[in-house]
Amino acid sequence: MSASILMKRMALLVLSTLATSVLAAEPSLLLTHATVIDGTGTPAQANMTIAIEGERIAAIYPDGSRPAPKAARVEDLSGRYVIPGLIDAHVHLTGAEPDFAHYQPHLQALLRGGVTAIRDMAGDDRLIGYLAGEANSDALESPDIYYVALMAGPTFFVEDVRAQEASAGEPLGFAPWMQAITQTTDIPLAVAEAKGTGATALKLYANLPANLVTKITVEAHRQGLRVWTHATIFPATPSDAVDAGVDTISHSPYLVWEAAPKVPDDYGVRAMGDFAHIRPDAPQILALFKAMKQHGTILDATLLPFEQEAQHDSKSVGAGIMPWSYAVTRLAHQQGVLIDVGTDSSGLPTDPQGPDLHALPLVHTEMALLVEHCGFTPLEAIHAATQISAAAMGQSTQRGTISSGKRADLVVLTADPTRDIHNTEKIAYVIKNGRIYQKDGS
Ligand SMILES: [Zn+2]
């Protein structure tokens, strides 16, 4: 064989190898004729194709504008609507279930109900860390899970039975995911220990003064952790947290303390604000919204848990809590504050027997509350539960919108959710990481 023939054969070999790798990179799943609501707040686009390659969205384009790849599985979505996977930005997974075996159907119900990621806002990180490892590698049929390590003042751990249960077996206030912080705590070490749990963020929960909120936040950001706090941390106020640079603040009703004459040192009164006398548009609250907008601080409104508490245990919350919370959330939205969708629950409706595995996830109800009480359009509520919730979770680059390069986490609907927000409940099937999950379990 002459040298030139050998060269030609080698060139052919290289070309055919290239061709194989190009083929392998072709989309594996094509969703055609879909109406796409991409999560950015852009109006729905009809007659679109979404090309999925492995776990990622490869491209979105008008139907027929590119040749259909031969190897791809094609799903004709004529008459169907596609939104990004929903993200519940405030879940407490552990504590809701009696034992590990129960998590599997629970997480499966969330995923098949349209939830492709959850932000767990405090619990037992030994269990959450394990579940997150299984969920995020698709070993478990589940939304992906991101979680926190909690910090609070020492009195919190004595008062709060949930914190005691979530750190059982560890000295109270010294578990890396449930740490008591004082003025003498070695903050860099405490943050490093929290980071060692695999958490995405710190949750600053209660009974911490403003100077500690600032110290912890600066150090957490230095070590690459996010900081998610209660809106009022007692005595630290919402503006103390926002000025410290925290990334998200939780619970609309706690905003009332921004305009209260005094904020107590203890979180026990957190839902007992003076909703009768403090206006949602008090100048202090409007100034807070301005600061939040400047900093990009996200409001994790969590209206549903308070609505349920006001209905079933009205003495545990201040009179007038719901009209006030709806009004303040509406105002925040009008002022341009970013608002996510979180349910502050196990993610599913729960009774004393445990979560209802046949019910739809509560994220749909929280979205409906934003539309029905807080002036959101359905499109804005979808934006809140997708792009904004992904941002709240620290996952902006990976999730939350239907755009090329992002994870293929999608919900296929049989009715238009921009006409009626309750249509997010009409799920044909869910796609997570490029895999289809049919409602009936197939
Ligand atoms: Zn919570």
Side-chain angles (χ1 to χ4, degrees):
M1 195 184 290
S2 75
S4 72
I5 291 176
L6 186 66
M7 291 287 280
K8 275 182 191 159
R9 290 213 174 155
M10 282 184 69
L12 272 175
L13 192 68
V14 169
L15 273 177
S16 65
T17 316
L18 273 177
T20 319
S21 63
V22 168
L23 268 184
E26 281 201 336
S28 40
L29 178 60
L30 273 192
L31 308 175
T32 61
H33 305 108
T35 299
V36 174
I37 295 118
D38 69 4
T40 64
T42 306
Q45 294 168 277
N47 307 314
M48 300 298 283
T49 293
I50 302 171
I52 295 168
E53 194 181 294
E55 299 179 341
R56 304 263 162 190
I57 296 168
I60 305 111
Y61 49 87
D63 284 326
S65 62
R66 298 189 193 181
K70 290 184 191 77
R73 168 178 174 183
V74 178
E75 291 280 317
D76 183 347
L77 297 188
S78 298
R80 302 219 155 154
Y81 301 80
V82 185
I83 59 173
L86 300 172
I87 296 170
D88 188 335
H90 199 130
V91 166
H92 295 279
L93 210 49
T94 57
E97 307 272 1
D99 61 64
F100 177 72
H102 288 215
Y103 285 97
Q104 204 158 353
H106 181 154
L107 292 164
Q108 185 182 60
L110 287 176
L111 178 62
R112 288 175 191 266
V115 179
T116 56
I118 55 178
R119 181 171 77 143
D120 191 286
M121 290 294 266
D124 189 337
D125 281 6
R126 291 166 293 193
L127 182 50
I128 299 168
Y130 174 73
L131 291 171
E134 296 289 293
N136 300 9
S137 61
D138 284 336
L140 192 63
E141 191 180 319
S142 166
D144 282 355
I145 301 170
Y146 294 82
Y147 59 96
V148 299
L150 180 146
M151 289 183 177
T155 45
F156 164 76
F157 294 91
V158 183
E159 295 164 24
D160 200 292
V161 70
R162 299 164 305 171
Q164 294 161 17
E165 284 170 2
S167 55
E170 296 284 333
L172 198 57
F174 288 91
W177 61 95
M178 286 277 157
Q179 294 190 76
I181 307 294
T182 69
Q183 300 291 351
T184 59
T185 300
D186 180 339
I187 302 281
L189 181 61
V191 170
E193 289 200 351
K195 192 175 178 179
T197 65
T200 299
L202 298 178
K203 166 97 174 262
L204 304 188
Y205 191 94
N207 301 13
L208 288 170
N211 81 310
L212 281 181
V213 170
T214 302
K215 263 193 193 172
I216 295 166
T217 301
V218 168
E219 180 58 24
H221 285 162
R222 196 186 70 77
Q223 293 194 33
L225 282 178
R226 291 182 185 252
V227 183
W228 303 334
T229 77
H230 272 167
T232 304
I233 315 170
F234 300 92
T237 63
S239 55
D240 290 335
V242 170
D243 293 346
V246 309
D247 301 285
T248 74
I249 61 172
S250 291
H251 310 313
S252 287
Y254 299 4
L255 295 172
V256 74
W257 296 99
E258 183 65 21
K262 181 166 168 35
V263 178
D265 289 341
D266 189 278
Y267 77 112
V269 295
R270 59 198 182 280
M272 303 300 288
D274 188 1
F275 303 109
H277 297 99
I278 294 171
R279 293 176 55 95
D281 61 354
Q284 299 95 319
I285 294 174
L286 291 177
L288 173 74
F289 290 157
K290 207 172 162 197
M292 289 177 75
K293 202 180 159 188
Q294 271 164 5
H295 285 86
T297 321
I298 295 173
L299 174 62
D300 177 38
T302 70
L303 300 161
L304 182 62
F306 296 101
E307 201 263 341
Q308 289 176 339
E309 221 171 328
Q311 260 188 42
H312 301 296
D313 189 12
S314 60
K315 288 200 168 56
S316 67
V317 294
I321 188 171
M322 283 328 291
W324 195 93
S325 301
Y326 290 141
V328 88
T329 305
R330 174 189 285 266
L331 205 56
H333 182 52
Q334 281 168 357
Q335 302 288 315
V337 173
L338 301 175
I339 296 172
D340 72 23
V341 175
T343 64
D344 199 7
S345 69
S346 76
L348 291 171
T350 301
D351 61 26
Q353 276 72 52
D356 181 352
L357 302 175
H358 303 289
L360 273 167
L362 292 171
V363 71
H364 298 280
T365 318
E366 179 77 17
M367 288 165 78
L369 290 180
L370 290 176
V371 172
E372 285 155 10
H373 295 281
C374 305
F376 282 59
T377 64
L379 193 64
E380 288 170 340
I382 294 165
H383 175 56
T386 57
Q387 188 172 31
I388 306 300
S389 283
M393 208 166 60
Q395 280 284 306
S396 282
T397 60
Q398 300 298 314
R399 303 157 197 272
T401 62
I402 303 180
S403 40
S404 57
K406 290 224 173 151
R407 313 266 291 214
D409 291 355
L410 307 165
V411 186
V412 179
L413 303 170
T414 58
D416 185 354
T418 65
R419 280 172 174 266
D420 178 355
I421 192 63
H422 293 283
N423 286 342
T424 60
E425 299 166 12
K426 296 183 178 153
I427 297 170
Y429 54 83
V430 176
I431 299 174
K432 185 195 154 201
N433 274 344
R435 274 195 221 176
I436 295 180
Y437 295 92
Q438 299 286 352
K439 236 180 161 185
D440 61 6
S442 59

